Amino acid sequence: MAAAVTSPHRRGLVLLCLFLGRLWEIRASQIRYSVPEETVKGYIVGNISKDLGLEPQEMTERGVRIISRGRTQLFALNLRSGSLVTAGRIDREELCAQSIRCLFNFKVLVEDRVQLYGIEIEVTDMNDNAPKFQAENLEIKINEIAVPGIRYPLPEAVDPDVGLNSLQSYQLSPNHHFSLDLRTGDDGTINPGLVLERALDREEEAAHHLVLIASDGGEPRRSSTVHILVTVVDVNDNAPVFAQPIYRVTVPENVPPGTQLLTVRASDPDEGANGEVAYKFWKISEKQSPLFQLNENTGELSTAKSLDYEECAFYEMEIQAEDGGGLKAWTKVLISVEDINDNRPEVIVTSLFSPVREDAPQGTVVILFNAYDRDSGKNGQVVCSIQESLPFQLEKSIEDYYRLLTSQILDREKTSEYNITVTATDRGTPTLSTEIHITLHVADINDNPPSFSQTSYSGYVLENNVRGTSIFSVTAHDPDSNENARIIYSLAEDTIQGVTLSSYVSINADTGALYALHPFDYEQFRDLQVQVRASDSGDPPLSSNVSLSLFVLDQNDNVPEILYPTIPTDGSTGVELAPRSAEPGYLVTKVVAVDRDSGQNSWLSYRLLKASEPGLFAVGLHTGEVRTLRALLDRDALKQSLVVAVQDHGQPPLSTTVTLTIAVADSIPDVLVDFGNLDVPLNPEASDLTLYLVVAVAAVSCVFLAFIIILLALRLRRWHTSRVLQASGGGLAGMQASHFVGMDGLQAFLQTYSHEVSLTTDSRKSHLIFPQPNYADTLISQESSEKKDPLCVSDDSRFPIEDTPLVPQAPPNTDWRFSQAQRPGTSGSQNGDETGTWPNNQFDTEMLQAMILASASEAADGSSTLGGGAGTMGLSARYGPQFTLQHVPDYRQNVYIPGSNATLTNAAGKRDGKAPAGGNGNKKKSGKKEKK
């Protein structure tokens, strides 16, 4: 209960303390100085830096400055010394007129604290003005019958100074008829009067000359005079009389010039000129005189100019009425100006903190301004407001000063500047308002990373582009400004096929344009995956990445490549065999080609460009198959040359050609006979070449014979040992099949024995046959065909060429696949099985022998046409580099050797129950060819 009683007392004490503290704060923030008037410019009023608690050098740093309401500033700050000095001449009378104390107030703002200090300066008076009469000469008419003791008012002198410096006394020049009478009014003014001491006699002295002196009490003393002419007139015994001793009128300040305010009236019972009254201003200040006008005949008082309540709210004057006889009367007129709401509020921006950082905390002061109205009362009360949609709030500071604060965190990316409209409205009727528009800029901070318009980009570039070509461009946007929005583009480090990405492309750091540093090759790589980084220049910098896929587009920059027939490395050409019994449409061979390009650029077409005998052969447009158009005749030449062109469908199309040599014969011996009938040219170089070839072939044959003997011995030894026989069976299964020899090996068989070793991987037996010596073709083993000593020399050399390693052939394009019907086979072999193996018949064997002998014969006359490289016997040229004897079945299962009764049998065929193909049918024919 006791706590409840004491609680209100405690709250009252707390509120009283807060109120007293506020009063002390206001009192403490008021600084007072005094300065005499008429001081020169730069006069030191006081040390304001000390009173503000600042050092002189801090005045500039803290933004200390004087704030005034638009009127002329009489004082200034000396920021170097920290003093408050006068800005010009100060006239106290202009500032404060007749006020006892002349106080000048203004505000000093310490900008960094956003704190205002009130400055009050009292201007002390100096005796710089002498008393002054309204006129230098005055005429007074006095009736000669005037009774002594009558007092005649004299004009007052005006001294704008105050105190002792103001008007203090009057003196009248010595005379016998008049004396000076001084009276003090209610307002403290001294009113001089002229008192008649002795009766006047116009006939004795019609005029009297007097001097009235007005003096002040300053140092030095100042004075002024007025000359009074007293004229003695005839008798006028009635003076004018005003209806009212004081006239009062209230007028609004907005009355137009010429408005009648009032009419003063004075009556005079005299007649004639003595009863005619004239009006004039008797006592009026210099400032008020231009504002009013008085009709001297009617006494109407009207405005000559517009009145302004804010300049003067009250006017006081005296009007004199004088009749024709010189009698006078005086009355006082008091004019009160009524204020109307004719002034709009004025708004003066004292401080504008622009730009303001977008991360400024809530409650940051951005604008300090002053709003006031020159009107009074409710007309001078001002209320300020801003738009409600802005993130700011108004707060009243001291007196009529307002602060604009942030009410939330700003975001420059949403709004970079605010157009703030401050509306100041008074409470008058009707209300008047003033609007000022303030633009507040928001300073940017780096709070947004660059962003790309897409999550990923893809572009296309043609291969074989020019170095330095612009291939793509990316653009990122940063909503920040200035350096925070300046974007620098770069590429993330990466490697492509072991090479750094920067070796292929570069990026312009300013524009984001990508440039190719090297021409692209579609066949090398088809796309590039690039990471583009966009970083701004802020502090700290922000960045973002985007993926870019560059796809290389193919161009027709690769000519078709011939896979079959291949071009031999020994200078010879492959030979294809076409039997004379071939029917129309017979498949002689097939041209196989590929194009490294893709799409339409890799579509190939074949056409016969040139033929030694037109109309005999045709080439498939899309298959490349060479077929007969008609049946072969005896008159057709043995050797047929065809030039086949292979062209792609690119733009522009590219093409290549291949020359095919086709031997027209039913069997290989026929080829030999036909080639033997060819005339050998009488060329000594060709004869020497033949001699060299024969010697080389003989040497190779000897080596091969030695190899056969050694191999035979080993086989006999293994045959006697079952364990060795089993090991040899496994070893033979892994041996490589023999390959046909090309031009290098064919001539060696012209003067050697036919010998062959038939080894099968699925039997435990070996079949060895030693036929009689003859000139038939034999198969040379792989070991002998791979010797580095070539047996063939070029046509333009008389000596054997040096040892040259054989050039390995490149693997074929794995994209090419052939159907079962498209697999190359022996020319004319249309009865082969579906596995693509060569048929085991005597006819095919004879064709192979014919090819061997034909190559030997052409080599002898310097125009080698058979052969596809060492160890290939022309088959790689016919069926491609991948076609070796490893892909060919053991054709020696049934081979007839001309000139011998022996036949290579097919042991596997016998084991499987298949009868070997007979070879006796052609013995006589082959023997005849041997004799030739």
Side-chain angles (χ1 to χ4, degrees):
M1 186 64 181
V5 173
T6 58
S7 177
H9 297 287
R10 291 181 180 178
R11 286 198 297 267
L13 290 176
V14 170
L15 292 176
L16 179 60
C17 292
L18 291 176
F19 177 72
L20 293 176
R22 180 60 179 171
L23 291 178
W24 176 258
E25 181 181 353
I26 295 174
R27 178 73 177 177
S29 62
Q30 189 79 11
I31 302 174
R32 292 179 174 82
Y33 299 102
S34 65
V35 59
E37 67 170 334
E38 301 297 336
T39 55
V40 297
K41 181 180 180 181
Y43 178 83
I44 299 176
V45 179
N47 189 350
I48 194 171
S49 62
K50 180 179 179 182
D51 296 332
L52 294 177
L54 302 174
E55 295 294 332
Q57 59 270 18
E58 294 180 333
M59 300 277 286
T60 303
E61 298 175 359
R62 295 182 176 271
V64 179
R65 57 191 175 94
I66 294 176
I67 300 173
S68 62
R69 292 183 176 179
R71 66 181 185 178
T72 304
Q73 182 57 252
L74 301 178
F75 301 93
L77 292 176
N78 189 331
L79 299 178
R80 183 175 301 174
S81 63
S83 302
L84 179 66
V85 298
T86 58
R89 174 181 170 273
I90 300 177
D91 189 352
R92 180 188 181 282
E93 288 71 34
E94 291 182 1
L95 294 176
C96 304
Q98 296 295 320
S99 299
I100 301 300
R101 296 188 66 190
C102 183
L103 301 177
F104 186 81
N105 294 279
F106 58 89
K107 298 291 188 298
V108 172
L109 171 66
V110 181
E111 196 161 287
D112 65 336
R113 303 176 184 170
V114 195
Q115 186 173 359
L116 292 169
Y117 293 87
I119 306 297
E120 182 182 275
I121 299 178
E122 181 179 1
V123 181
T124 59
D125 184 48
M126 295 182 63
N127 192 21
D128 57 340
N129 293 284
K132 185 178 180 181
F133 290 97
Q134 187 174 357
E136 295 182 358
N137 297 297
L138 176 63
E139 182 182 1
I140 301 176
K141 295 179 180 181
I142 301 177
N143 197 305
E144 62 178 339
I145 63 172
V147 179
I150 296 177
R151 185 178 186 274
Y152 297 92
L154 295 178
E156 296 177 6
V158 177
D159 192 340
D161 294 329
V162 296
L164 292 176
N165 297 327
S166 64
L167 179 65
Q168 297 294 324
S169 63
Y170 291 93
Q171 291 180 358
L172 185 63
S173 60
N175 63 87
H176 301 286
H177 293 85
F178 299 97
S179 65
L180 182 64
D181 178 45
L182 300 178
R183 296 178 182 179
T184 304
D186 296 337
D187 55 355
T189 60
I190 301 175
N191 300 318
L194 186 64
V195 178
L196 180 62
E197 296 290 341
R198 293 174 60 185
L200 299 175
D201 188 356
R202 179 180 177 280
E203 288 70 27
E204 182 181 348
E205 190 175 0
H208 300 271
H209 295 276
L210 305 176
V211 176
L212 181 61
I213 302 173
S215 303
D216 59 21
E219 289 293 337
R221 184 182 297 270
R222 296 178 182 271
S223 63
S224 63
T225 62
V226 59
H227 296 274
I228 303 173
L229 175 61
V230 178
T231 303
V232 180
V233 296
D234 286 338
V235 176
N236 182 19
D237 54 353
N238 292 294
V241 177
F242 282 98
Q244 296 177 211
I246 298 177
Y247 287 86
R248 302 176 187 272
V249 64
T250 301
V251 59
E253 62 176 327
N254 62 342
V255 294
T259 301
Q260 181 179 343
L261 302 180
L262 55 86
T263 301
V264 294
R265 294 187 181 274
S267 60
D268 192 332
D270 294 329
E271 294 181 356
N274 293 330
E276 295 178 358
V277 179
Y279 303 93
K280 69 177 180 178
F281 288 113
W282 173 250
K283 185 179 180 181
I284 188 171
S285 66
E286 293 181 359
K287 291 184 178 180
Q288 297 175 1
S289 179
L291 299 177
F292 303 95
Q293 60 185 5
L294 179 63
N295 191 318
E296 64 178 6
N297 297 320
T298 62
E300 293 179 356
L301 181 64
S302 60
T303 59
K305 293 183 179 180
S306 298
L307 304 181
D308 191 351
Y309 174 86
E310 287 70 36
E311 291 185 3
C312 184
F314 180 79
Y315 298 94
E316 180 180 353
M317 66 194 71
E318 291 184 7
I319 297 177
Q320 172 185 284
E322 183 178 2
D323 59 15
L327 298 180
K328 303 175 183 178
W330 294 269
T331 186
K332 185 177 291 186
V333 177
L334 303 178
I335 302 174
S336 298
V337 180
E338 186 180 32
D339 182 40
I340 65 171
N341 193 22
D342 60 341
N343 290 284
R344 295 181 179 274
E346 298 182 19
V347 179
I348 299 175
V349 176
T350 303
S351 297
L352 174 61
F353 303 94
S354 178
V356 58
R357 287 174 58 91
E358 62 177 323
D359 60 345
Q362 183 177 350
T364 301
V365 179
V366 294
I367 300 175
L368 179 66
F369 65 91
N370 172 252
Y372 68 96
D373 195 322
R374 296 177 61 192
D375 295 326
S376 62
K378 289 187 176 181
N379 296 333
Q381 296 178 4
V382 180
V383 177
C384 295
S385 62
I386 61 172
Q387 306 100 301
E388 295 182 357
S389 59
L390 298 179
F392 304 100
Q393 62 182 7
L394 274 176
E395 180 182 279
K396 191 168 184 179
S397 181
I398 58 175
E399 297 181 1
D400 47 7
Y401 283 87
Y402 291 84
R403 296 189 301 174
L404 187 66
L405 313 175
T406 58
S407 59
Q408 62 186 44
I409 302 298
L410 305 180
D411 189 354
R412 193 206 66 84
E413 286 68 42
K414 292 183 178 179
T415 307
S416 61
E417 65 179 22
Y418 291 92
N419 292 317
I420 304 172
T421 301
V422 178
T423 303
T425 306
D426 60 23
R427 298 181 184 273
T429 302
T431 59
L432 298 178
S433 62
T434 300
E435 291 184 352
I436 64 167
H437 302 279
I438 304 172
T439 301
L440 179 66
H441 298 276
V442 182
D444 181 52
I445 63 171
N446 193 25
D447 56 346
N448 292 281
S451 61
F452 292 92
S453 58
Q454 301 179 18
T455 56
S456 63
Y457 292 88
S458 61
Y460 301 88
V461 57
L462 288 172
E463 65 172 334
N464 303 321
N465 54 287
V466 180
R467 177 183 297 180
T469 302
S470 176
I471 56 177
F472 200 78
S473 178
V474 296
T475 303
H477 173 70
D478 195 321
D480 294 325
S481 64
N482 299 329
E483 287 298 315
N484 296 332
R486 189 169 68 86
I487 299 176
I488 299 175
Y489 299 90
S490 61
L491 298 178
E493 292 295 333
D494 198 0
T495 57
I496 301 175
Q497 298 181 356
V499 181
T500 59
L501 178 64
S502 58
S503 301
Y504 289 98
V505 293
S506 66
I507 190 169
N508 189 308
D510 297 325
T511 63
L514 276 80
Y515 298 92
L517 300 181
H518 293 286
F520 295 151
D521 189 356
Y522 176 83
E523 288 72 34
Q524 183 180 2
F525 56 83
R526 301 188 177 185
D527 62 89
L528 286 175
Q529 300 297 328
V530 180
Q531 285 288 332
V532 180
R533 177 181 294 110
S535 303
D536 58 26
S537 301
D539 186 18
L542 302 177
S543 63
S544 60
N545 297 337
V546 70
S547 60
L548 169 62
S549 300
L550 288 176
F551 298 97
V552 183
L553 301 180
D554 183 44
Q555 280 188 323
N556 193 25
D557 58 340
N558 292 281
V559 299
E561 298 180 8
I562 305 298
L563 296 181
Y564 178 81
T566 57
I567 300 176
T569 59
D570 57 357
S572 62
T573 59
V575 176
E576 306 293 340
L577 188 62
R580 291 187 178 274
S581 60
E583 296 295 331
Y586 176 79
L587 176 62
V588 179
T589 185
K590 181 175 181 178
V591 177
V592 180
V594 295
D595 196 318
R596 295 178 61 193
D597 295 324
S598 64
Q600 186 174 349
N601 297 330
S602 63
W603 297 353
L604 302 179
S605 60
Y606 304 83
R607 61 188 178 92
L608 184 60
L609 190 64
K610 183 180 179 181
S612 58
E613 188 168 341
L616 182 56
F617 298 97
V619 178
L621 179 62
H622 301 293
T623 61
E625 296 177 348
V626 179
R627 296 180 180 272
T628 58
L629 289 177
R630 58 176 176 80
L632 299 176
L633 306 176
D634 293 338
R635 59 181 176 80
D636 293 333
L638 170 64
K639 179 181 177 183
Q640 298 288 337
S641 294
L642 304 179
V643 178
V644 178
V646 183
Q647 179 176 297
D648 57 27
H649 286 71
Q651 290 297 330
L654 301 178
S655 62
T656 185
T657 59
V658 62
T659 302
L660 301 177
T661 301
I662 300 176
V664 180
D666 290 333
S667 61
I668 294 177
D670 293 342
V671 176
L672 296 177
V673 172
D674 293 339
F675 281 163
N677 293 334
L678 297 176
D679 294 334
V680 178
L682 298 177
N683 188 352
E685 294 183 359
S687 301
D688 294 341
L689 178 60
T690 303
L691 178 61
Y692 297 150
L693 290 175
V694 170
V695 173
V697 171
V700 173
S701 300
C702 293
V703 174
F704 181 72
L705 182 60
F707 171 74
I708 293 299
I709 294 175
I710 295 173
L711 182 62
L712 180 61
L714 293 175
R715 293 294 296 172
L716 290 174
R717 183 178 181 182
R718 291 175 182 175
W719 184 74
H720 290 291
T721 306
S722 59
R723 184 177 300 174
V724 176
L725 183 60
Q726 294 177 357
S728 65
L732 290 173
M735 291 178 60
Q736 296 182 354
S738 301
H739 291 262
F740 288 107
V741 297
M743 192 61 204
D744 296 338
L746 288 174
Q747 296 179 357
F749 294 92
L750 298 177
Q751 297 178 355
T752 58
Y753 292 96
S754 296
H755 45 272
E756 181 56 53
V757 178
S758 178
L759 303 177
T760 59
T761 58
D762 54 352
S763 66
R764 300 303 179 109
K765 299 179 181 181
S766 299
H767 303 273
L768 291 92
I769 301 175
F770 297 92
Q772 297 296 326
N774 53 52
Y775 290 97
D777 295 81
T778 60
L779 295 175
I780 303 177
S781 65
Q782 182 178 5
E783 288 79 359
S784 62
S785 65
E786 291 179 353
K787 288 182 178 294
K788 295 182 179 180
D789 297 335
L791 301 179
C792 179
V793 296
S794 62
D795 294 340
D796 55 355
S797 176
R798 296 179 179 272
F799 304 96
I801 61 176
E802 298 179 358
D803 295 347
T804 304
L806 298 177
V807 180
Q809 296 178 347
N813 191 332
T814 57
D815 292 341
W816 284 88
R817 301 290 184 267
F818 300 96
S819 63
Q820 190 67 30
Q822 292 176 330
R823 293 181 182 176
T826 309
S827 299
S829 61
Q830 299 178 350
N831 56 349
D833 58 6
E834 294 182 356
T835 61
T837 58
W838 290 8
N840 298 326
N841 53 44
Q842 181 179 359
F843 179 72
D844 286 350
T845 304
E846 290 178 352
M847 285 193 293
L848 293 174
Q849 293 174 350
M851 291 171 62
I852 296 171
L853 295 179
S855 299
S857 177
E858 289 182 1
D861 60 7
S863 59
S864 177
T865 61
L866 184 63
T872 63
M873 196 178 177
L875 295 179
S876 64
R878 176 179 175 90
Y879 298 103
Q882 74 275 21
F883 193 90
T884 61
L885 289 184
Q886 294 177 352
H887 304 81
V888 181
D890 192 358
Y891 70 93
R892 295 163 294 181
Q893 295 172 355
N894 193 350
V895 178
Y896 167 73
I897 301 176
S900 174
N901 295 327
T903 300
L904 295 178
T905 61
N906 186 353
K910 292 180 180 181
R911 182 188 61 194
D912 297 337
K914 299 179 181 179
N920 297 329
N922 293 331
K923 285 185 179 181
K924 293 181 179 182
K925 185 176 181 180
S926 299
K928 294 178 180 180
K929 292 180 180 179
E930 278 184 323
K931 293 178 182 180
K932 291 181 180 181

